[in-house]
């Protein structure tokens, strides 16, 4: 239902960055590759490269494509206070783990899991990563 909602919103207003970003994130979490979520995340990033949620989504897209070093570069462009925000901390934690920083990565995953309002798919993803 959420994916359908964002798809409909996107069809109505394809230039809205928030809608583009929400559709990309949801499609990645639900593995809806037919929607080309990596491309959507890239489009959103091109339009709003300083928007915290957009940067986080684009970094997650790079992470899913196994471009871990590039994902780290992208997400670390955010200000430090944004990196500790629960909605970003989980994705940053995933990226740090893949780049070899297990301690900080797990700390950030824990922040996301204990203080954030997460989608069920995010919660599962972060819990699996923290358990490794």
């Amino acid at each position: 239902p959420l994916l359908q909602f964002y798809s409909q919103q996107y069809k109505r207003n394809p230039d809205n960055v928030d809608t583009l970003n929400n559709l990309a994130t949801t499609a990645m979490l639900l593995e809806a590759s037919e929607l080309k979520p990596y491309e959507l995340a890239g489009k959103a990033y091109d339009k709003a490269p300083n928007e915290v949620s957009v940067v986080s989504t684009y970094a997650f897209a790079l992470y899913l494509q196994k471009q871990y070093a590039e994902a780290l570069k992208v997400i670390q462009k955010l200000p430090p206070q944004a990196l500790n925000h629960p909605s970003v901390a989980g994705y940053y934690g995933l990226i740090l783990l893949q780049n070899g920083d297990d301690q900080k990565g797990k700390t950030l995953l824990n922040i996301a899991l204990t203080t954030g309002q997460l989608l069920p798919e995010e919660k599962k993803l972060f819990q699996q990563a923290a358990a490794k």
Side-chain angles (χ1 to χ4, degrees), residues 18-112:
D18 290 332
T19 300
L20 191 59
N21 191 59
N22 289 336
L23 179 59
T25 302
T26 306
M28 286 187 286
L29 289 169
L30 296 174
E31 299 177 6
S33 58
E34 70 278 6
L35 296 176
K36 300 184 176 162
Y38 307 144
E39 288 179 29
L40 295 172
K43 275 188 197 177
Y45 184 72
D46 289 343
K47 290 175 184 260
N50 298 311
E51 178 68 37
V52 173
S53 62
V54 171
V55 172
S56 176
T57 298
Y58 182 60
F60 182 50
L62 293 169
Y63 164 88
L64 289 175
Q65 295 173 84
K66 300 186 179 354
Q67 296 177 30
Y68 304 127
E70 186 62 26
L72 186 62
K73 279 186 209 167
V74 167
I75 204 162
Q76 286 183 331
K77 291 178 184 175
L78 291 173
Q81 66 272 21
L83 294 170
N84 290 314
H85 189 277
S87 65
V88 176
Y91 293 105
Y92 187 31
L94 290 174
I95 292 165
L96 284 171
L97 287 177
Q98 284 299 328
N99 281 282
D101 193 341
D102 291 357
Q103 185 176 349
K104 189 172 180 183
K106 287 186 179 193
T107 298
L108 288 165
L109 287 168
N110 190 47
I111 288 170

